[in-house]
Amino acid sequence: MTNLLLLLPILLPIAAGLVFYCMKLKGKSLDTATVVTLLITSVISVCLALAANVGEIMIRWTDTLSLQLRIDQVSRIYLLLISVIWPGVGLYAVEYLGHDHHKPRFYLFYTITQGVLNALAMSGNLVTFYMFYEAMTLLTVPLVLHDMDRPAVAAAIKYLIYSVLGASAALIGIFFVSSVGATGDFAAGPLTAEMLAGKEGLAMGIFLAMLIGFSVKAGMFPLHGWLPTAHPVAPAPASAVLSGVITKMGVLGSIRVLFYVAGVERLRGTWVQMLLLGLSLLTVLMGSLMALKEKKMKKRLAYSSVSQVSYVLFGLFTMTEAGFIGAILHILFHSLMKNTLFMGAGAMIHQTGKTQVEDYEGLGKRMPWTYACFAVASLGLIGIPPTGGFISKWNLAMGSLNTGIAGSWIGPAVLLISAILTAAYLLTVVIRGCFYGGENELPGCEVSWKMKVPMVVYAVLIVGLGMFSGGLIDFLRALASGLM
């Protein structure tokens, strides 16, 4: 019976979202019911993630096709991440959306998405992962489409097209895995040499297509264009989870393909690894340069996400223990930091109605809590100790140097240049807000506790987990040793 517990974090938010929407709950009743549901579901997810023997669910269709749900170490990381982010942003949305008449629809898709993300984290094979991955895309399109105006519609269509293209590349890989007689079961380990005999060259191309396909959701060049288009038109809560969590689901797909299907020993030192490393570093640098150039606040943060999520991909593509540790750490820390930044930007927009970076001069004196949290997240994203960003980027640099590849120093050099650019495009916001415009007449004032508390909690976690990350690193080192 314990295996049925796996359905709770999936079905509870889905059922709650549908019930609340059908009951036409509004105002405080909708807000309270939704936030309580998110909190309860998050607690259940954490308990399942920490449980030793929850079991698994399997529905077999054919010898190579089945639906599987189980929890492994990677699932635990993602369930914990979703459980921390989803209720916090949900509470923030209560005040941010205020009397928005689309609020019930937002909460409907927001709560259902949480259930699908939990299922995605617990997917036990490629077919199950793909099914929930596509469901995630379809359910998050309405979050981008929220305002229903022309820019929102255009952005939602672009997001959908890019996502479908990426998932199609992954689907080709699933067909290939099935054709060689494998189930795509993550617990079974990478494909064997016997399965790929005579098809080694084709397999390398297929694995590359899968990794690039899943990296579309993570915003890797050249299919990164949906991110800077979607973020400016989506409401701040949607932007926060899109950057903080949804992009990481593309990373999860890359983790599953790289370590559980293809196998790092098969790809290490090949042209596939060289190409992936090059694309990820190019994206890191390009995203930072575009963010520095951008004057619109949320679009600047969107380009920042393009850059920072490719830090994670770069760490994975080094195929080293240190790189893997750095990548997983950056998944967690970037989620906290980027959620804080988008919520901070959303608070500035909510209180002033302004969207340009130069519009916020002097605003920090009126919104000290918001700017303090924004500053902490900015320092973390730059990689200043003792924030978590320093720990993750240190391991990413070590992972690059440990590859043994000629020119391995290029990775740390690009990361350092990107960090300098990150300081330029984020700290200028803090400096303008806190030290310029003493006579600013903007109508800004500090946000309510519903928007403030999630930002403060995440800012504390950015520093706290950065200072006391030893246990987490030991856990990730044990996980990495089992995968390589």
Side-chain angles (χ1 to χ4, degrees):
M1 289 296 293
T2 56
N3 56 344
L4 295 179
L5 293 175
L6 294 174
L7 297 177
L8 284 179
I10 301 172
L11 297 182
L12 180 58
I14 293 175
L18 291 171
V19 169
F20 299 158
Y21 191 78
C22 292
M23 291 176 63
K24 300 186 183 302
L25 294 181
K26 296 180 179 180
K28 291 184 178 180
S29 297
L30 175 62
D31 296 337
T32 302
T34 303
V35 173
V36 169
T37 297
L38 294 173
L39 287 170
I40 292 174
T41 307
S42 297
V43 170
I44 292 173
S45 300
V46 170
C47 291
L48 289 177
L50 297 178
N53 296 300
V54 183
E56 71 172 14
I57 293 176
M58 177 183 292
I59 300 175
R60 186 170 292 282
W61 299 312
T62 69
D63 290 340
T64 58
L65 292 177
S66 63
L67 185 150
Q68 295 182 41
L69 295 173
R70 72 167 68 91
I71 295 179
D72 59 14
Q73 300 291 55
V74 174
S75 301
R76 288 182 169 87
I77 294 169
Y78 270 84
L79 285 173
L80 288 169
L81 174 63
I82 297 164
S83 299
V84 170
I85 298 301
W86 228 252
V89 177
L91 177 62
Y92 175 93
V94 169
E95 182 70 20
Y96 183 88
L97 294 177
H99 301 291
D100 189 324
H101 63 282
H102 295 313
K103 193 178 193 177
R105 187 187 66 207
F106 176 88
Y107 276 148
L108 169 67
F109 288 102
Y110 187 77
T111 52
I112 293 177
T113 299
Q114 187 195 23
V116 171
L117 290 177
N118 287 333
L120 191 56
M122 294 187 290
S123 296
N125 63 16
L126 277 174
V127 172
T128 308
F129 188 92
Y130 178 81
M131 181 176 70
F132 287 113
Y133 190 82
E134 289 285 53
M136 172 192 69
T137 295
L138 295 176
L139 289 167
T140 50
V141 166
L143 300 182
V144 177
L145 194 60
H146 181 78
D147 289 337
M148 298 296 289
D149 54 15
R150 186 180 294 274
V153 172
I157 292 173
K158 188 172 185 178
Y159 169 55
L160 183 61
I161 291 173
Y162 275 62
S163 298
V164 170
L165 284 174
S168 297
L171 183 60
I172 293 172
I174 296 174
F175 289 148
F176 174 78
V177 170
S178 180
S179 72
V180 299
T183 62
D185 189 334
F186 300 143
L191 301 181
T192 64
E194 291 75 16
M195 291 178 177
L196 300 179
K199 302 178 181 178
E200 291 85 359
L202 176 61
M204 297 296 279
I206 292 291
F207 294 145
L208 175 64
M210 295 179 75
L211 289 165
I212 291 179
F214 282 123
S215 296
V216 170
K217 192 75 77 181
M220 189 173 76
F221 178 86
L223 296 174
H224 63 285
W226 70 269
L227 263 168
T229 303
H231 280 303
V233 300
S239 294
V241 296
L242 280 170
S243 179
V245 180
I246 303 302
T247 56
K248 307 307 188 302
M249 293 303 169
V251 174
L252 177 58
S254 296
I255 291 173
R256 293 303 192 187
V257 171
L258 187 59
F259 295 97
Y260 293 84
V261 177
V264 292
E265 290 296 334
R266 181 172 287 116
L267 297 180
R268 189 181 287 132
T270 66
W271 64 272
V272 173
Q273 184 187 22
M274 299 300 106
L275 179 58
L276 291 170
L277 286 172
L279 286 175
S280 60
L281 285 177
L282 176 61
T283 311
V284 167
L285 189 57
M286 179 205 67
S288 296
L289 289 169
M290 295 301 292
L292 182 64
K293 179 182 176 182
E294 182 56 50
K295 301 301 181 183
K296 196 169 186 176
M297 173 65 88
K298 287 181 66 181
K299 197 167 185 178
R300 175 176 289 194
L301 296 180
Y303 277 119
S304 172
S305 293
V306 170
S307 173
Q308 293 290 325
V309 179
S310 280
Y311 275 64
V312 178
L313 294 174
F314 172 72
L316 296 177
F317 297 154
T318 64
M319 303 181 195
T320 62
E321 180 179 289
F324 178 85
I325 293 172
I328 302 299
L329 286 174
H330 208 60
I331 288 173
L332 301 175
F333 292 132
H334 177 262
S335 293
L336 294 170
M337 293 182 290
K338 195 48 68 72
N339 272 273
T340 305
L341 290 172
F342 268 113
M343 289 192 291
M348 298 173 200
I349 295 169
H350 184 270
Q351 297 302 92
T352 67
K354 306 292 185 179
T355 61
Q356 302 294 315
V357 172
E358 60 266 22
D359 291 335
Y360 304 130
E361 290 187 357
L363 190 60
K365 300 169 185 177
R366 301 176 184 228
M367 304 178 67
W369 284 95
T370 297
Y371 267 78
C373 294
F374 193 96
V376 170
S378 298
L379 293 174
L381 212 60
I382 297 165
I384 303 297
T387 64
F390 171 75
I391 303 299
S392 61
K393 292 185 179 184
W394 178 272
N395 281 278
L396 291 172
M398 291 299 103
S400 178
L401 295 175
N402 291 342
T403 59
I405 299 172
S408 60
W409 57 269
I410 296 175
V414 171
L415 298 186
L416 179 59
I417 294 170
S418 176
I420 295 171
L421 294 172
T422 303
Y425 66 72
L426 285 180
L427 292 186
T428 50
V429 177
V430 179
I431 292 170
R432 281 176 177 272
C434 296
F435 301 105
Y436 285 22
E439 302 300 323
N440 200 314
E441 297 299 327
L442 281 175
C445 61
E446 191 58 87
V447 293
S448 73
W449 68 270
K450 294 174 186 177
M451 294 175 70
K452 189 188 305 178
V453 167
M455 290 190 288
V456 171
V457 170
Y458 295 158
V460 170
L461 287 174
I462 291 167
V463 177
L465 291 177
M467 294 177 65
F468 304 101
S469 57
L472 179 57
I473 292 175
D474 290 340
F475 169 81
L476 294 177
R477 184 174 290 112
L479 174 58
S481 65
L483 294 176
M484 296 185 185

